[in-house]
């Protein structure tokens, strides 16, 4: 337990350093944006003098390091600036949009884990037989399908040809849980299938290797029930897929941004598109930074879960 706490504290202590690096990267990249904050804020009719005054007032003429440290100071205070039009705090816009992106990501992740376990375990238990062949083919197809293209196919099939689910839009779960589930069903499936297919192949490969170990043959010879053997084998086989899960969750967070645009969901994807189309650098900066930090937090949580599942690494 002491070794686990020491490693956990080491992971957590690295987070502020990584957040500073993320903030620096996001800030520097967006400084090369062709969008002019003064032009976007004041409009076409603003005079050059007004734009120059706006730039001076908001520190746009300061050197890049000065602007970066000013940005960090605002970030530590929870201030990400205001949007161009209408003028609203970026933090408030993110606080409204991020919960939807998080809901979609968690729903897609839950579905992906369930499908991956079903496909992966079934393939491993029926190795080289027809269930294994079928699920391996389905997994390869699922990996090859881009989420955004799959989302378009799902809309065409289940919202237009067979109108059983909505084409888009969002229903708050406080208003109607069934409506919320229907509004996120197709986006979650589009987000989950590629990830589920990839994880299923990893689980299948890990379980096949584990099933060939001596302790499994000994357990079978001792007459241990098959479900108990599979449970033990599955637990030992999840170490490798768990290391990939953090990256997959990050993929789902970024993929949710694209899926939201396809299904007209008012999440982080809509904010990014709004900021890009409107030349609102502050809005894009705030949303990208939020998603990047969320990705970092998820990876730290997965690292801690990995330490719990694999006690051997605690001695490193």
């Amino acid at each position: 337990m002491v070794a686990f706490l020491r490693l956990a504290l080491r992971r957590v202590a690295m987070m502020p350093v990584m957040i500073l690096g993320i903030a620096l990267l996001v800030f520097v990249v967006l400084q090369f944006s062709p969008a002019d904050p003064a032009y976007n804020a004041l409009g076409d009719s603003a005079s050059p003098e007004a734009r120059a005054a706006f730039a001076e007032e908001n520190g746009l003429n300061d050197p890049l390091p000065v602007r970066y440290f000013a940005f960090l100071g605002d970030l530590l205070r929870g201030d990400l600036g205001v949007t161009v039009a209408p003028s609203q705090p970026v933090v408030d816009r993110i606080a409204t949009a991020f919960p939807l992106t998080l809901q979609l990501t968690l729903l897609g992740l839950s579905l992906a884990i369930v499908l991956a376990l079903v496909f992966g375990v079934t393939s491993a238990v029926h190795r080289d037989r027809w269930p294994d062949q079928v699920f391996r083919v389905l997994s390869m197809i699922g990996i090859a399908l881009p989420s955004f293209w799959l989302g378009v196919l799902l809309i065409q099939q289940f919202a237009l040809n067979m109108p059983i689910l909505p084409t888009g839009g969002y229903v708050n779960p406080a208003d109607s849980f069934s409506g919320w589930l229907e509004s996120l069903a197709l986006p979650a499936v589009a987000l989950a299938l590629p990830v589920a297919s990839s994880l299923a192949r990893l689980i299948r490969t890990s379980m096949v290797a584990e099933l060939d170990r001596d302790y499994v043959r000994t357990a079978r010879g001792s007459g241990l029930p098959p479900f108990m053997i599979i449970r033990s084998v599955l637990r030992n086989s999840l170490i490798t897929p768990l290391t990939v899960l953090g990256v997959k969750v990050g993929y789902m967070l970024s993929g949710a941004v694209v899926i939201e645009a396809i299904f007209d969901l008012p999440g982080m994807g809509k904010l990014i598109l709004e900021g890009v189309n409107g030349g609102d650098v502050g809005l894009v900066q705030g949303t990208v930074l939020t998603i990047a930090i969320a990705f970092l937090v998820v990876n730290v949580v997965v690292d801690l879960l990995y330490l719990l599942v694999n006690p051997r690494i605690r001695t490193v």
Side-chain angles (χ1 to χ4, degrees), residues 100-112 188 191 249 252:
L100 190 152
T101 300
L102 188 62
Q103 292 170 28
L104 176 58
T105 302
L106 292 178
L107 188 61
L109 178 64
S110 302
L111 181 59
L191 200 59
V249 174
M252 296 186 80

Side-chain angles (χ1 to χ4, degrees), residues 152-168:
V152 174
L153 292 181
L154 291 173
I155 291 175
Q156 182 177 358
Q157 183 63 32
F158 296 103
L160 299 178
N161 295 343
M162 294 187 299
I164 56 178
L165 290 171
T167 58

Side-chain angles (χ1 to χ4, degrees), residues 63-168:
L64 191 63
V66 175
R67 281 184 284 158
Y68 174 65
F69 283 110
F71 167 70
L72 283 183
D74 292 337
L75 184 62
L76 291 175
R77 294 191 298 270
D79 182 9
L80 293 174
V82 296
T83 58
V84 174
S87 181
Q88 294 177 331
V90 173
V91 172
D92 293 347
R93 298 292 304 277
I94 292 176
T96 303
F98 186 71
L100 190 152
T101 300
L102 188 62
Q103 292 170 28
L104 176 58
T105 302
L106 292 178
L107 188 61
L109 178 64
S110 302
L111 181 59
I113 291 175
V114 171
L115 292 177
L117 288 173
V118 172
F119 290 172
V121 173
T122 303
S123 293
V125 171
H126 299 88
R127 176 174 39 173
D128 296 330
R129 285 178 279 177
W130 71 264
D132 182 27
Q133 300 296 337
V134 170
F135 284 133
R136 288 171 69 182
V137 171
L138 292 176
S139 296
M140 287 188 289
I141 294 174
I143 293 173
L145 288 177
S147 292
F148 65 88
W149 187 66
L150 183 58
V152 174
L153 292 181
L154 291 173
I155 291 175
Q156 182 177 358
Q157 183 63 32
F158 296 103
L160 299 178
N161 295 343
M162 294 187 299
I164 56 178
L165 290 171
T167 58

Side-chain angles (χ1 to χ4, degrees), residues 101-102 104-105 191 251-261 265 269:
T101 300
L102 188 62
L104 176 58
T105 302
L191 200 59
Y251 162 82
M252 296 186 80
L253 270 172
S254 58
V257 171
V258 180
I259 293 297
E260 287 169 1
L265 298 174

Side-chain angles (χ1 to χ4, degrees), residues 17-46:
V17 178
M18 289 186 284
I19 290 175
L20 285 176
I22 292 171
L24 176 61
L25 179 62
V26 171
F27 177 81
V28 171
V29 169
L30 288 178
Q31 294 309 304
F32 294 97
S33 170
D36 183 1
Y39 176 85
N40 294 325
L42 301 177
D44 301 346
S45 59

Side-chain angles (χ1 to χ4, degrees), residues 100-101 103-104 107 155 159 165-173 175-188 259-267 270:
L100 190 152
T101 300
Q103 292 170 28
L104 176 58
L107 188 61
I155 291 175
L165 290 171
T167 58
Y170 175 71
V171 177
N172 195 304
D175 299 331
S176 171
F177 180 78
S178 60
W180 170 80
L181 199 58
E182 289 177 357
S183 67
L184 293 185
L186 293 182
I259 293 297
E260 287 169 1
I262 295 174
F263 288 90
D264 192 29
L265 298 174
K270 185 175 182 180

